[in-house]
Amino acid sequence: MGSSSPDLVEDRRRAYVDGLTPFFHAVASVEELDEAGVDEYGTPRVLARELLGRRIVVARLRDGVVAMDATCPHRGADLGLGWVSDAADAVVCRYHGFEWGGDGAVCRIPALEAAGHSLPAGSGWRVETFPVVVRYGLVWVCLAAEPALPVVDLPQAEDDGFLALPQPTETWQATCGRMVEASLDTYHFAFAHRTSIGDPSLPAAPTATVVPSDSAYCIEYDIVQPAAEAVTYASSSDETVVSHYRFAVQPSVVTMTKSTGDVAFAALLALHPRSVDETTVYRRIYPHRGWDVDLDAFQQMQAQVFAEDRLVVESQRPWELATDLDEELHALMDRPTVGYRRWLSSLGVAFS
């Protein structure tokens, strides 16, 4: 960085956040939305969230799930304190009862009605709404009117031949860029995962191939790993196996498919960037139904691997993922992650 002045640092952080704006981010599970419950008056709650430092609300209205800016444009109150209208067609502000419809337009002002007045014709009063997609049991929101990419595809998640195993939701003190890159790193296994799926005596980095895609950055590779007895890769923990990995990632989502012989499963990491340095992770694992394995042991192994990644990723500084390639050192084996940083830059995501 040419200068470390506070203003320059803040400008870079703001630019980084702005670059993440035109993408879908998972902000809640469908279960969280449906279990929002009622407030102290017995009215249905909306779900308050923070996305890239901006407060929003998510609500299930009669025409579907909507997301809108949480700041009421009337007097700035937080719509996250409000509720769903009796007709289930609007979000109600707790301050003055203004009702904002699913399209963002004001549709009722109770005090006006009480005074015998109608809504001002053509007032244009509205709260900003955002594109929403419900997929994989998650609610995805984009803060831009025109999303740059669709929600990433993961065929196994919608294939009856695979089980869906939701994992505990966690919030990391890390940025989504660092978290995605950790998944793409091809040669950290031997050290970051030396008690689970890695072995320091097997430090060789596999050769990754970039797979062309219009909607994601994709790589695949084969790697020699210890046979994890807990997931029945082999009869002896001293054995090694060759595993095939394929990753498809976007700025805040990772999909992975892994096969080792007849063993196959997929995984989804959907990241909710609350701010630059705090990210909630919605994680799903999809093992094949025909896989004869102790699923409890398998999930324990996956939880251990995830915890090992978290320990390292939360230690990284700066929080943001540098897209200026001169800011960090890069070894020959970093080609996949350097490629990801260049891909981010091509999409307008920059920390440089």
Side-chain angles (χ1 to χ4, degrees), residues 5 51 117 126 194 230 264 349:
S5 70
L51 177 58
H117 298 291
R126 62 177 54 248
R194 62 181 178 175
V349 180

Side-chain angles (χ1 to χ4, degrees), residues 194-210:
R194 62 181 178 175
T195 61
S196 54
I197 58 173
D199 184 338
S201 69
L202 299 170
T207 300
T209 301
V210 176

Side-chain angles (χ1 to χ4, degrees), residues 71 186 188 205 227 273 298:
T71 299
T186 60
H188 72 291
F298 169 67

Side-chain angles (χ1 to χ4, degrees), residues 214-235:
D214 292 332
S215 61
Y217 177 77
C218 306
I219 65 169
E220 61 182 7
Y221 57 86
D222 292 324
I223 186 172
V224 177
Q225 295 180 307
E229 191 172 7
V231 292
T232 65
Y233 287 157
S235 60

Side-chain angles (χ1 to χ4, degrees), residues 56-67:
I56 66 171
V57 293
V58 179
R60 187 185 294 281
L61 304 183
R62 67 187 183 193
D63 291 331
V65 177
V66 300

